[in-house]
């Protein structure tokens, strides 16, 4: 019954909003992350991104909207980067995962927030933090336009993936803690063990004065560790797999995807 209802809704949506194949092809041509998808994955992602655009609000700051064109391919490209995280999941799991937000807001530039954090000794520290994006429980996903324009390649940086990963993380809590809801076939003890090993390795690199194998922002908070690792999983999978193979395998099973297989051969050779 539910399968028939879903098919009826999909057919109704398609009749009202025909899939823009030309705009999707243009979106893929603009971003390497989308261009190297296989045909089946690309079509599934494109249609999911198209539905995403009709289910969520995509808003631009008035100053940005007045000066910056953001055409349909650009909108599809943004939505596709968000939906890439759940591409391996069922429609029901995708809808549930994205139920915690209703808007993506694009700001003209990076923005600042006053932050208070308590250290391990109980001392409160206040500082101003510059951010490329942010999100909150039931709040919008906010991204800075320059960082959005730098996302979509295989460098390991992707502000959309980072912030949507936070949304997945918040699906079972009001805050990010690096521990999203897990499917039944993943043991929470394994998740904790693998991520703890990565966290400890990042801290050890910094204590030795060495650059970690991934962005050191991952070492600032367990929630940021999860989000940064998600960025690398999708946009620099060879780097993540080379540094933390057990973590890559864990995320491969969590996302039910294997981005290493999508990596352009030239990039794979360069990073090998």
């Amino acid at each position: 019954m539910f399968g028939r209802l879903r098919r009826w809704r999909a057919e109704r949506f398609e009749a009202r909003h025909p899939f823009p194949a030309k705009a999707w092809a243009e979106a893929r041509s603009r971003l390497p992350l989308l261009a190297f998808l296989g045909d089946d994955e690309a079509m599934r992602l494109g249609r999911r991104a198209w539905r995403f655009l009709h289910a969520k609000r995509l808003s631009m700051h008035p100053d940005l909207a007045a000066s910056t064109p953001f055409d349909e391919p650009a909108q599809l490209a943004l939505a596709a980067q968000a939906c890439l995280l759940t591409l391996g999941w069922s429609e029901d799991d995708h809808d549930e995962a994205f139920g915690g937000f209703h808007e993506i807001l694009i700001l003209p530039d990076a923005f600042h927030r006053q932050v208070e954090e308590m250290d391990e000794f109980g001392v409160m520290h206040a500082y101003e933090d510059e951010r490329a994006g942010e999100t909150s429980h039931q709040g919008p996903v906010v991204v800075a336009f320059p960082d959005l324009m730098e996302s979509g390649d295989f460098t390991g940086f992707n502000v959309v993936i980072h912030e949507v990963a936070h949304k997945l993380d918040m699906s079972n809590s009001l805050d990010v803690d690096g521990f999203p809801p897990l499917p039944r076939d993943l043991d929470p003890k394994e998740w904790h063990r693998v991520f703890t090993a990565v966290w400890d390795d990042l801290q050890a690199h910094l204590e030795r004065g060495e650059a970690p194998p991934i962005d050191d922002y991952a070492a600032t908070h367990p929630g940021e560790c999860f989000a940064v690792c998600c960025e690398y999983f999708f946009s620099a999978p060879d780097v993540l797999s080379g540094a933390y193979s057990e973590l890559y395998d864990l995320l491969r099973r969590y996302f039910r995807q294997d981005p290493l297989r999508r990596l352009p051969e030239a990039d794979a050779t360069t990073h090998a």
Side-chain angles (χ1 to χ4, degrees):
M1 176 179 176
F2 292 109
R4 291 198 300 271
L5 179 60
R6 177 173 290 281
R7 285 194 297 272
W8 176 79
R9 288 176 174 171
E11 291 170 358
R12 188 181 182 190
F13 175 84
E14 180 68 26
R16 292 182 174 182
H17 310 287
F19 179 67
K22 186 176 180 179
W24 174 235
E26 173 63 23
R28 291 189 65 199
S29 73
R30 295 180 185 181
L31 296 185
L33 198 61
L34 306 179
F36 287 92
L37 289 167
D39 291 342
D40 290 344
E41 284 188 323
M43 182 52 66
R44 189 165 71 252
L45 180 62
R47 292 186 177 277
R48 192 168 279 186
W50 182 236
R51 292 192 297 273
F52 179 96
L53 287 177
H54 287 80
K56 313 292 183 183
R57 290 190 302 275
L58 184 57
S59 307
M60 299 183 75
H61 187 280
D63 292 345
L64 185 63
S67 60
T68 306
F70 204 66
D71 59 9
E72 191 171 66
Q75 296 173 36
L76 276 168
L78 189 159
Q81 290 174 86
C83 294
L84 184 60
L85 283 84
T86 58
L87 179 60
W89 297 356
S90 69
E91 290 294 337
D92 287 339
D93 289 342
H94 163 79
D95 291 342
E96 182 177 354
F98 282 5
F101 73 104
H102 308 283
E103 180 181 16
I104 294 181
L105 174 60
I106 308 172
L107 300 184
D109 212 335
F111 47 98
H112 296 82
R113 291 283 185 267
Q114 288 297 126
V115 178
E116 292 186 349
E117 289 185 351
M118 185 177 295
D119 65 21
E120 58 184 312
F121 303 107
V123 178
M124 187 67 72
H125 300 271
Y127 61 93
E128 187 174 74
D129 185 31
E130 182 176 276
R131 299 184 177 182
E134 70 174 12
T135 191
S136 59
H137 184 69
Q138 294 296 330
V141 167
V142 181
V143 297
F145 184 76
D147 296 278
L148 175 61
M149 293 297 99
E150 292 180 9
S151 302
D153 56 20
F154 292 101
T155 61
F157 174 80
N158 192 295
V159 67
V160 178
I161 290 175
H162 186 104
E163 297 306 326
V164 173
H166 282 326
K167 281 296 185 183
L168 299 182
D169 194 353
M170 292 179 185
S171 296
N172 57 359
S173 66
L174 298 180
D175 200 1
V176 295
D177 58 7
F179 219 117
L182 300 179
R184 291 182 179 179
D185 59 345
L186 279 185
D187 185 350
K189 292 180 180 179
E190 180 187 13
W191 186 274
H192 181 266
R193 177 183 61 78
V194 172
F195 265 99
T196 297
V198 171
W199 174 265
D200 289 345
D201 185 69
L202 293 171
Q203 303 303 322
H205 273 81
L206 294 177
E207 288 172 5
R208 294 193 299 265
E210 299 173 359
I214 61 175
D215 190 336
D216 61 10
Y217 192 55
T220 62
H221 187 279
E224 300 301 345
C225 184
F226 172 65
V228 169
C229 288
C230 289
E231 289 183 79
Y232 275 81
F233 177 75
F234 287 103
S235 65
D238 52 335
V239 176
L240 186 66
S241 178
Y244 303 117
S245 59
E246 195 172 12
L247 173 62
Y248 180 87
D249 180 67
L250 183 69
L251 292 178
R252 180 186 59 79
R253 288 181 283 137
Y254 171 69
F255 286 113
R256 304 190 187 284
Q257 301 181 59
D258 191 357
L260 270 174
R261 296 189 175 188
R262 305 177 188 141
L263 196 66
E265 185 175 345
D267 280 16
T269 303
T270 299
H271 290 119

